[in-house]
Amino acid sequence: MVFSSLTFLFYFLPAFLLLYFLVSKKTKNMVIFLGSLIFYYYGVKDQPAYVLLMLLSILVNYKAARKIEKQTEQRGRKIWLITGLTYNMGCLFVFKYLDFVCVNINTALGWAGTGTRLPYAELVLPIGISFYTFQITSYLIDVYWGKIPAEPSILTLGTYLCMFPQLIAGPIVTYSQVREQLRDRRQSLSNLEEGLREFTIGLGLKVLIANQMGALWGQVGTIGYESISTPLAWLGLGAFSFQIYFDFYGYSLMAKGLGMIMGFRFPDNFRDPYLSKSMTEFWRRWHMTLGSWFREYVYIPLGGNRSHLYRNLLIVWMLTGLWHGASWNYVLWGLFICLLVCVEKLGVKKLLERVPLLGHLYMLFVIPLSWMLFAITDLGKLGVYVGRLFPFLAGSGSAAVFPGDFVKYGRMYLFSLLAALICCTGLPRKLYEKRKASLLTALTLVAVFWACAYCMYMGLDDPFLYYQF
């Protein structure tokens, strides 16, 4: 089940909220927990055992955290931490990376001519496993570090991990951020109104902008990378850049809005990242909860910027790339980002900040290139696309087959492209904050909601991109 679906909007959400507001304060966590299991089951109904997998994650980490807290010796605490981490990362590895490792081992065995091949597990990736694994892992580590006490109620811990607004595509919320809210939170009409507003804005960004940009990127793939002109190749990357931003930003706003309705305050996940003047700044504004997770649980424990800075950056960005997917293009993507960040730390970042225009032009060039490595999983096709972007690299015979394609698709998606470009500036948000109490703003949001509902009714909707991670 996705937020941008008629089933969620007109069946699940009204029924859930009605029950949630009717029950007593003590029962609300139970309603969230059971409602979230139903929500998750709807998405994995073809593999119902994946619900049990998530429940087992709750049980294992609940027990491990309690054991850590009870141990008086450091050795015992570390044993239980390692036990919990082994389970968490072991599940993630088996479901997400095992076949990737087997493929590469088999490739190496083929080169060696041994004739031996490892079998593939061919497991379907559980929805949201990367997100909820990182969340429960942060809880376990924080208990080990003594930042928070182990949760005595398995229902409360289960509510934290399974909470459907942020269960399958983030934001990544640490237990310490919502610990008090899980015990004591207030619902009000103002929170309900504000939450519905945020949800509607996110829904509009997803359905009315991200999906249109996804359609343009899909058109480029349908034509075939070898047949597109250089201008259309750049337009296609621009479309994907808009799609992934408004898809994920829209989801994060919807999650934040749903949290507000229930009395929670989730952390922001985006802060106008496309206005950045460097890649370093960009990754402080994009998917901020993931960046915070890697900074707190990987980068700083490795030494941060105090020792072996570039080694630490390389490890973090390799892991960030692999977190997004078990494919070499994600590794290349992580290495590309790491290279840019390292170069910027040598002094380039200061120059870009002193000359803002230069910084924006630089990002206008490198952002689409980074998303190209993210979007195209086939390395052969990736090479073809690079040849279309830079014809001089492809040699002779690389002239555009259809030089007018850029104009055709530019006209077809003109209004959507302009809307995406304007919304990237943050100006619509600033205008909304100034005029949010006006009748015109309320009517606009109502119109956005029903326009989205119409698009979903007509089948003009796509799953969220980050569900696959």
Side-chain angles (χ1 to χ4, degrees):
M1 192 185 305
V2 297
F3 295 165
S4 56
S5 68
L6 298 178
T7 301
F8 178 82
L9 290 177
F10 294 105
Y11 294 97
F12 177 84
L13 186 59
F16 171 82
L17 291 180
L18 179 62
L19 182 60
Y20 182 75
F21 286 116
L22 284 177
V23 301
S24 66
K25 183 178 179 180
K26 293 181 178 180
T27 316
K28 290 187 185 299
N29 280 355
M30 177 64 75
V31 172
I32 294 176
F33 180 67
L34 294 178
S36 298
L37 291 181
I38 294 171
F39 176 87
Y40 191 72
Y41 173 79
Y42 190 91
V44 298
K45 55 182 179 291
D46 293 334
Q47 296 89 27
Y50 288 174
V51 176
L52 298 178
L53 180 69
M54 187 169 61
L55 293 175
L56 190 58
S57 179
I58 297 169
L59 178 61
V60 169
N61 286 275
Y62 172 79
K63 290 292 186 180
R66 299 279 285 175
K67 291 290 186 181
I68 288 172
E69 189 173 58
K70 291 179 180 178
Q71 297 299 310
T72 57
E73 296 183 0
Q74 181 64 16
R75 182 174 180 273
R77 292 168 56 82
K78 186 172 292 187
I79 287 174
W80 281 107
L81 172 68
I82 293 173
T83 300
L85 293 181
T86 301
Y87 173 82
N88 294 337
M89 296 305 165
C91 286
L92 187 61
F93 174 81
V94 168
F95 284 97
K96 192 168 185 176
Y97 303 105
L98 179 58
D99 279 355
F100 175 65
V101 172
C102 289
V103 166
N104 287 280
I105 291 176
N106 285 339
T107 300
L109 291 174
W111 289 341
T114 62
T116 304
R117 290 182 63 84
L118 298 179
Y120 299 125
E122 298 182 347
L123 297 172
V124 177
L125 183 67
I127 297 175
I129 189 172
S130 295
F131 286 94
Y132 74 70
T133 297
F134 268 34
Q135 290 200 165
I136 202 64
T137 296
S138 69
Y139 162 74
L140 197 65
I141 295 174
D142 284 350
V143 171
Y144 175 76
W145 284 344
K147 292 178 61 176
I148 56 172
E151 174 54 54
S153 168
I154 192 170
L155 173 61
T156 302
L157 185 63
T159 302
Y160 157 68
L161 186 64
C162 298
M163 200 182 311
F164 73 86
Q166 45 83 70
L167 169 61
I168 52 182
I172 297 173
V173 181
T174 61
Y175 182 77
S176 59
Q177 290 173 320
V178 293
R179 177 171 174 263
E180 296 303 323
Q181 298 170 48
L182 285 165
R183 287 172 168 76
D184 183 23
R185 57 186 181 276
R186 295 181 179 180
Q187 295 78 44
S188 65
L189 287 177
S190 60
N191 281 348
L192 175 63
E193 178 190 359
E194 186 67 17
L196 290 175
R197 284 171 174 266
E198 290 295 315
F199 182 89
T200 302
I201 293 170
L203 184 67
L205 294 177
K206 159 61 181 169
V207 176
L208 303 181
I209 297 182
N211 288 353
Q212 290 296 308
M213 295 296 92
L216 175 51
W217 174 244
Q219 292 273 16
V220 172
T222 301
I223 295 170
Y225 300 155
E226 64 282 342
S227 301
I228 60 176
S229 67
T230 294
L232 182 58
W234 283 101
L235 181 65
L237 279 188
F240 182 80
S241 300
F242 288 139
Q243 180 194 7
I244 195 169
Y245 174 48
F246 290 111
D247 185 281
F248 197 17
Y249 179 37
Y251 182 95
S252 296
L253 283 180
M254 284 187 271
K256 184 178 180 181
L258 292 171
M260 286 181 180
I261 293 171
M262 293 188 288
F264 291 93
R265 292 287 171 175
F266 295 153
D268 291 330
N269 219 12
F270 293 88
R271 192 175 66 247
D272 301 324
Y274 286 168
L275 296 182
S276 303
K277 297 180 288 294
S278 66
M279 189 58 73
T280 303
E281 181 186 0
F282 179 87
W283 279 97
R284 290 172 182 162
R285 292 168 169 246
W286 176 283
H287 203 346
M288 294 188 292
T289 57
L290 179 66
S292 296
W293 196 98
F294 273 110
R295 181 172 60 253
E296 185 164 353
Y297 299 104
V298 180
Y299 182 68
I300 293 177
L302 285 172
N305 55 10
R306 301 185 306 276
S307 62
H308 306 291
L309 170 63
Y310 296 105
R311 180 207 65 180
N312 298 342
L313 287 172
L314 177 61
I315 292 173
V316 166
W317 281 107
M318 286 284 288
L319 292 176
T320 303
L322 286 171
W323 179 87
H324 283 88
S327 176
W328 283 110
N329 70 294
Y330 294 116
V331 176
L332 290 175
W333 172 78
L335 290 174
F336 180 71
I337 302 296
C338 181
L339 176 63
L340 294 178
V341 170
C342 289
V343 170
E344 290 172 6
K345 287 188 176 296
L346 295 175
V348 174
K349 182 174 179 288
K350 293 181 179 179
L351 173 63
L352 297 174
E353 290 174 343
R354 282 199 300 266
V355 188
L357 178 60
L358 180 62
H360 290 307
L361 291 175
Y362 159 74
M363 292 302 291
L364 186 65
F365 178 70
V366 299
I367 286 176
L369 290 181
S370 69
W371 289 135
M372 173 189 66
L373 297 172
F374 196 91
I376 304 174
T377 58
D378 185 293
L379 297 185
K381 292 182 179 180
L382 181 61
V384 172
Y385 207 97
V386 171
R388 304 317 301 164
L389 291 174
F390 308 103
F392 58 87
L393 296 176
S396 59
S398 62
V401 178
F402 302 110
D405 55 6
F406 169 79
V407 176
K408 174 184 175 181
Y409 291 102
R411 287 176 176 174
M412 188 181 302
Y413 293 95
L414 177 61
F415 291 109
S416 299
L417 286 164
L418 289 175
L421 185 62
I422 293 171
C423 288
C424 276
T425 65
L427 292 176
R429 184 72 195 197
K430 292 178 181 178
L431 181 62
Y432 166 76
E433 294 296 339
K434 288 182 179 180
R435 306 290 183 184
K436 66 190 303 182
S438 69
L439 177 61
L440 179 60
T441 299
L443 292 175
T444 300
L445 290 177
V446 171
V448 167
F449 176 85
W450 287 109
C452 292
Y454 174 76
C455 289
M456 288 182 278
Y457 176 75
M458 297 301 293
L460 305 176
D461 192 40
D462 295 307
F464 291 95
L465 286 177
Y466 264 70
Y467 274 15
Q468 62 186 297
F469 308 129

